[in-house]
Amino acid sequence: MNKKFVYTSLALALSFGAMAQDKNAIKFSAPVNKDRAYDHLSILASDEYEGRETGKKGAWMAADYIKKQFQSFGLTGPVKGGTDPYFQKVGLVTYDVTQSSLSINGKAQAAKDFIISNNSVGLSGLDLSANEVVFAGYGLTKDGYNDFDGINVEGKVVMVFSSGDPSGKAPEGQAANPRAAMQARQKLFGNLMKNKAKAILLIDVNFDKVPDYQKAAAANGRIMLKNEATAKALQKPIPYTAITISPAVANEILKVSNTSLDAVSKKISETGKPASQVINVSLAANAQKKEVEHRGENVLGFLEGSDAKLKHEVLVVTGHYDHIGLEADPNAKDKVNNGADDDGSGTTGVLMLAEAFAKAKKAGKGPKRSILFMTVVGEEKGLLGSEWYSENPVFPIANTITNLNIDMIGRGDDDRPGDNNFVYIIGSNMLSDDLDRIGKKANTDYVNIVLDEKYNNRTDPNQFYYRSDHYNFAKFGIPVIFYFNGVHKDYHQPGDEVSKIDFPMLAKRAQLVYYTAWELANGEKRPVVNKNEDGTLKTN
């Protein structure tokens, strides 16, 4: 796009409704521009930052970069009692399976031949033993075929194929559709649980082809917060024990009955009838679970308000700086999920706003209310960083007037081809009509971008209102606006790179957030909360 045209168009847009404009707001908006956006994003979304996965080196590098930027702007670190006032340490942990073992008739099986699922091991560990194993084919009950006919699996260890059907082939669509395969697996588990099986041995006929990194990942737990909710969840009983086994382990069991995997598979496919049987074999499986801490921090930069009566009130501007990291497959052609749009663009927006407001304050024109600029970690793991802050706020929730959250403002939406002069706003009228009015007026007075409210509802099938960090403020009754440019073919793919960012539009969307923040930070009154349609607001 022609640079002269962009700036001329913006200048014309800003000239309309001049009577409603604040000249200082316009004057200090200068750092919110496409060139500054490129400066930040070309670093944050570079290959060197390795996709900024939570708990990994790239995320730590990003946190350090953001902190140094906040410092250079003159923002202060508001965190008390930690090792760094700009870092709010987030309690991140995984619970990983360790020391797993499996033996058949006293013979230890090779570690490369089985996987004990992480979800199958509680905090007290796994200690499974049995004197018989029930082979139940494909675990199916359908169309006159019943793998459970004539056998009782209640309280037993049941061995089944992890996929496929009596024909010996995977059902149509499963091979090409991982979601269909997962749904089939869930149905299989449901069938076994309905029959009250004690444990499940899943025969993966392609086990030897599964990459080692995938096997290791199955034993590792997902990152979660070390908090009361997690503690309660970990105390819940394990619904079932699932152990994935190789054909070698399956044959070790079946040979006790003088048969083999190939033999039973052939029998089922040729006769169309089950080959279910009880095998008198001793089995023992053991595993331990270990809590592992992971480094992660929210990065906070604070700008104190200039009005003695209003500076205790805080506007929070957020974006998540984490992404999904490196491709797990070591043979991938492009190994880095750069996350330029998701959410390097939002993090860049937060940095540009922080610089603009800091310059205003240095010139004696700082906002009346205080502003907390916060980039959060762990969004991709389940909104963890913002959840941690909302439960452990540096500034009281009661004093937090609004959260403006920026998550993906650097590209367009595949559903809006050829038209990128827009931004989706989500949540603006969910809790406060005042906030909705302020945000839309800021757009009319200064920016004149199309505000698309396609996803601004709770019934959106995509559930975008619940899928970014603003929701952890909204659930405490804090009015929010979520700024978003929609999804595209590079969403969560290595193709989400800096070269595909529309920097003029990134800057324009960030300008909308800036002017909205200016109005909120300087308005006579904070937005009034006058709605609670969820009926689930929390207190803190």
Side-chain angles (χ1 to χ4, degrees), residues 28-32 351-361 514 518:
F28 294 106
S29 69
V32 189
L351 289 172
M352 291 193 295
L353 265 67
E355 183 177 7
F357 276 99
K359 287 188 174 182
K361 182 171 182 177
Y514 165 79
W518 187 280

Side-chain angles (χ1 to χ4, degrees), residues 497-512:
E497 297 181 336
V498 174
S499 61
K500 298 178 182 178
I501 295 294
D502 183 343
F503 282 99
M505 279 311 304
L506 191 164
K508 192 172 185 180
R509 290 166 179 145
Q511 286 161 359
L512 172 59

Side-chain angles (χ1 to χ4, degrees), residues 81-93:
T83 57
D84 190 313
Y86 290 89
F87 287 165
Q88 181 189 40
K89 181 180 178 182
V90 179
L92 299 174
V93 292

Side-chain angles (χ1 to χ4, degrees), residues 409-423:
I409 57 167
R411 289 180 60 168
D413 189 339
D414 288 345
D415 289 340
R416 295 180 60 103
D419 176 17
N420 208 17
N421 185 42
F422 79 98
V423 68

Side-chain angles (χ1 to χ4, degrees), residues 123-155:
L123 286 181
S124 59
L126 171 68
D127 186 8
L128 173 69
S129 62
N131 291 319
E132 61 182 22
V133 171
V134 177
F135 173 67
Y138 297 92
L140 294 177
T141 302
K142 67 172 188 177
D143 302 329
Y145 178 94
N146 184 1
D147 275 316
F148 300 102
D149 188 28
I151 62 171
N152 177 18
V153 302
E154 183 175 350

